[in-house]
Each structure stands twice: as C-alpha cells, then as structure tokens.
Amino acid sequence: MSVRRTNKFDVVPRSDADGELLRRLLDASAALWNEINYERRENYTDPDGEVWDTGDYREDYAGVLGAATVQQIERLNNETWRSFFAVKREDSATSPPGYWGNREDGRELRTYLRNDTYTVQWGEYSRLELLVGPELKQDYGLSSHVRPRFEIRGNPSWRQYEKQGRLELHYKDDADR
C-alpha cells in the first residue's frame, strides 16, 4: 500500500494582474474539461459513437494552458470516464462525469498540472512557479523563458519527497484564493 503525501497551501497572487492571469488559466482549464466532456457525453449517448474518440484540443488551448496542461486535463478526463465505467458495472444508476460549471453561471475554476510543469520552493518566501502557454505570457508581458511566480502560504506536511506529483489548483471565490 502506498502512502499519498499531500501538501495543501494557499496561492497568493502578488498583484491584480497575477490574479487575473491565474483565473484565466483556471477558467481555460475548466472550459477545456467541459468541451472534452461534452464530446464524450454526446458520443456516449450516440449508439454509433465511441466515447474515447475526441477532437484534438491542443491547438485551441495550448496558447493559454501550454500543451502539457492540455494533455494533463485530457488524461484526467480519461481517468474519470474509466472510473465511471468501472462503477457503472456495479451500479447502473450512476451518471456520466459532469461539467465544471458553465460560462453563464460561472465555471469551477481549477486545473491540474503535470509534475514537470511547476516548481514549489518552501522557505521564508515560499513560492510556486507555473508553466503557462505563450499567449498568456504575451498578454501579461512575460518573456518566453519566464514562468509566472506566486507566493504560497501554508505549512507543508512533506518538505522532502522523492518525486512531486500532479498539482491540483482550485479557486475559492469566498476567500479570493
């Protein structure tokens, strides 16, 4: 049995522009999830459809998210659908995976980053650096070799670990974090 090691922390943008960049990243991730999921749900209800056949979303979203994050969200959606089918074998009343909100009522702002697309540094000035797409970098005046940097706050449970895993970021409206 493996032990999951999890660090929870708050990401604190250093400026309004940083906060906007982060929200755009999270919103684009939710939009991507919704598009993939919509296509899969349509294929699921189509007798001739194949759930696993989806379009290539890299071209549409890599400019904001980066190709690695597009790939990570596609993988997560695959995992979620595989879990759905596994549960469905036991409980036929289970529903297909849902959406992360919608544009009109508000999306659930979140993303999942592959372990090689971010770095966390703990210390007196703890920080998180993220890989984002070139379009987002250009919009916020970042050079191609610079990753956006955010302050993080929290007490890590695991400062030293052999390999960092997938990073999950969730925006909480009520805390503006």
Side-chain angles (χ1 to χ4, degrees):
M1 181 173 142
S2 67
V3 177
R4 288 191 86 168
R5 296 185 173 151
T6 303
N7 283 320
K8 292 185 178 186
F9 50 85
D10 288 334
V11 177
V12 183
R14 299 181 301 174
S15 68
D16 289 343
D18 284 351
E20 184 180 306
L21 180 149
L22 189 57
R23 281 188 295 280
R24 279 188 59 194
L25 177 76
L26 299 174
D27 187 61
S29 296
L32 171 60
W33 171 276
N34 287 349
E35 281 194 44
I36 295 169
N37 216 40
Y38 177 80
E39 187 172 358
R40 287 211 163 118
R41 288 175 72 107
E42 290 294 304
N43 289 341
Y44 177 69
T45 59
D46 180 355
D48 298 324
E50 174 58 48
V51 169
W52 306 112
D53 289 340
T54 60
D56 184 5
Y57 294 97
R58 283 189 182 98
E59 191 172 309
D60 296 336
Y61 287 93
V64 173
L65 299 174
T69 302
V70 171
Q71 180 188 52
Q72 188 63 39
I73 291 171
E74 288 172 335
R75 283 183 181 167
L76 181 67
N77 192 271
N78 284 340
E79 290 172 21
T80 304
W81 276 88
R82 280 194 297 276
S83 294
F84 161 69
F85 285 120
V87 170
K88 188 161 181 59
R89 283 192 286 274
E90 305 296 322
D91 178 9
S92 62
T94 192
S95 298
Y99 299 104
W100 294 354
N102 61 55
R103 187 178 308 171
E104 291 76 32
D105 299 327
R107 292 186 185 108
E108 295 173 30
L109 301 181
R110 60 177 143 163
T111 195
Y112 296 81
L113 302 173
R114 202 170 67 195
N115 63 345
D116 61 345
T117 63
Y118 72 93
T119 57
V120 173
Q121 184 173 357
W122 296 106
E124 186 177 345
Y125 299 103
S126 299
R127 70 174 187 251
L128 167 69
E129 292 180 358
L130 307 174
L131 178 75
V132 298
E135 180 182 313
L136 208 52
K137 284 184 178 188
Q138 182 179 6
D139 289 352
Y140 290 90
L142 300 172
S143 71
S144 62
H145 300 297
V146 173
R147 290 182 174 192
R149 181 181 293 174
F150 302 94
E151 178 185 341
I152 56 175
R153 295 180 188 155
N155 294 315
S157 301
W158 307 97
R159 286 184 187 266
Q160 302 297 324
Y161 43 84
E162 292 177 19
K163 182 180 178 188
Q164 68 185 24
R166 176 171 62 200
L167 176 68
E168 301 178 19
L169 291 177
H170 302 265
Y171 183 76
K172 295 184 178 182
D173 271 333
D174 57 339
D176 195 30
R177 300 202 182 225

